[in-house]
Amino acid sequence: MLHLRLITPAARTDEVVRLIGDTVGTTHLVVLPGAARDPAGDVVMCDVAREAGDELIGALREFDLDRTGSIAVENIDLSLSSRADRAEEAAPGEGADAVLWEQLADASHEESTLSVTYVALLAVATMLAACGVMLDNAILIVGAMAVGPEFGPLAGISTALVRRAPHLVWRSLWALLAGFALAMVLTAGFSLLLDGLGLFERAMVEAPRPNTAFIWKPDWMSFVVAFLAGIAGTLSLTSAKSGALIGVAISVTTVPAAANAAVALSYTDYSQTWGSTWQLLANLGGIVLSGTLTLLAQKWFWARQRGVTPAPG
């Protein structure tokens, strides 16, 4: 279930209340006349089944409440109510299959910002991975993969492509490419620093490294794994299953590939640099492709389940 808290201009409250009442899957309607002060208006609250949430939120936006008032949506972790149970049963489809496109777009926009925190996390993850590849330590590689925040912009690109929002595509692409470029430059400097301290050396780059050699030897299996991980990651976002994102993070070698490319470049090992770069691009491309196809499939299946024609965007 979702909880909606709305601020509506007094002149539109009756229309909003009527809309909520006519939407299958809503319950627990509360109206507080004149309760809102900034902006001034009435406060309307209700609970709605997740599978009916996207349709209701879209209709509320057609009333311009996102501009003249407010639409706030929260997930309800626990609801002990027979009326809520009946509302969920009445709503068509399954809540686990429903996609809240406004929520997904908002989350993608937030995670696709080239912020200091994003770059810092990506740089630290890449440096950890650099230690992992130099020491041929798979545990460090897994830890670095879990720290990396790059799935946010990747999901942002897929969401923007499905919703036909070019500005968000470029915003997410900029965050992704600029973030990795900065992280790799910082990691190359980090590698030179540790070399100066005697902790890294060229022999470590040229060693066989059986546990991490796959990082700079891209093949079709790398793309297949990235493709499957993109599906899992997208499904975890649309169904709010955050645990699945951890599995995605430690299954794709984006951060380790960037780290190995940076370290190899610092030692002028261009063969490993190019191999790692291709590995990185293949993984990023596989995730974006599968994420976009997954969202399109979810949109199509949900429209079929509800018996409507899917609208673009």
Side-chain angles (χ1 to χ4, degrees):
M1 294 290 288
L2 303 172
H3 177 69
L4 271 61
R5 186 183 71 253
L6 315 172
I7 296 179
T8 70
R12 307 221 68 169
T13 300
D14 289 342
E15 293 177 281
V16 170
V17 170
R18 188 160 46 250
L19 170 65
I20 293 172
D22 292 340
T23 302
V24 177
T26 59
T27 187
H28 303 153
L29 177 62
V30 177
V31 180
L32 303 175
R37 294 292 180 268
D38 184 20
D42 303 331
V43 174
V44 178
M45 295 181 286
C46 71
D47 295 341
V48 59
R50 182 180 175 86
E51 50 268 43
D54 190 63
E55 180 182 358
L56 177 57
I57 293 170
L60 290 170
R61 291 199 66 183
E62 291 180 3
F63 285 166
D64 288 334
L65 288 191
D66 53 324
R67 294 191 302 107
T68 61
S70 170
I71 304 173
V73 183
E74 300 173 343
N75 286 307
I76 300 177
D77 295 325
L78 177 63
S79 179
L80 303 177
S81 167
S82 59
R83 296 184 66 88
D85 294 339
R86 290 196 296 270
E88 288 189 311
E89 292 173 1
E94 295 294 331
D97 297 332
V99 179
L100 296 178
W101 290 100
E102 295 297 338
Q103 184 183 59
L104 182 61
D106 185 68
S108 300
H109 184 276
E110 182 179 348
E111 295 295 329
S112 302
T113 302
L114 188 65
S115 63
V116 174
T117 300
Y118 169 79
V119 173
L121 279 174
L122 190 55
V124 169
T126 309
M127 291 177 191
L128 282 172
C131 295
V133 297
M134 292 296 276
L135 299 174
D136 195 32
N137 188 316
I139 295 176
L140 285 176
I141 292 293
V142 171
M145 293 160 98
V147 172
E150 72 278 10
F151 193 81
L154 290 169
I157 294 174
S158 296
T159 303
L161 289 173
V162 173
R163 291 177 63 87
R164 302 181 185 181
H167 65 286
L168 182 56
V169 172
W170 292 116
R171 177 191 178 95
S172 301
L173 189 62
W174 169 248
L176 187 69
L177 298 182
F180 267 112
L182 289 170
M184 291 170 71
V185 168
L186 292 172
T187 300
F190 173 74
S191 175
L192 293 174
L193 174 62
L194 292 194
D195 181 83
L197 295 174
L199 298 176
F200 280 3
E201 57 184 31
R202 176 177 289 274
M204 298 170 74
V205 176
E206 298 172 348
R209 289 186 283 163
N211 291 325
T212 56
F214 68 93
I215 292 172
W216 68 88
K217 297 178 180 178
D219 54 26
W220 279 107
M221 279 306 300
S222 300
F223 182 82
V224 169
V225 170
F227 191 89
L228 295 175
I231 295 174
T234 302
L235 290 174
S236 73
L237 284 179
T238 57
S239 62
K241 300 292 184 183
S242 58
L245 270 180
I246 299 175
V248 171
I250 63 177
S251 64
V252 186
T253 55
T254 49
V255 165
N260 197 80
V263 172
L265 183 63
S266 70
Y267 285 104
T268 65
D269 187 333
Y270 300 120
S271 175
Q272 284 197 41
T273 299
W274 283 116
S276 300
T277 301
W278 279 115
Q279 177 80 276
L280 173 62
L281 293 176
N283 279 281
L284 295 178
I287 292 175
V288 170
L289 176 62
S290 63
T292 303
L293 293 177
T294 299
L295 288 174
L296 287 172
Q298 286 182 288
K299 191 172 187 177
W300 184 80
F301 281 120
W302 185 250
R304 288 268 307 215
Q305 194 170 17
R306 296 179 63 86
V308 298
T309 301

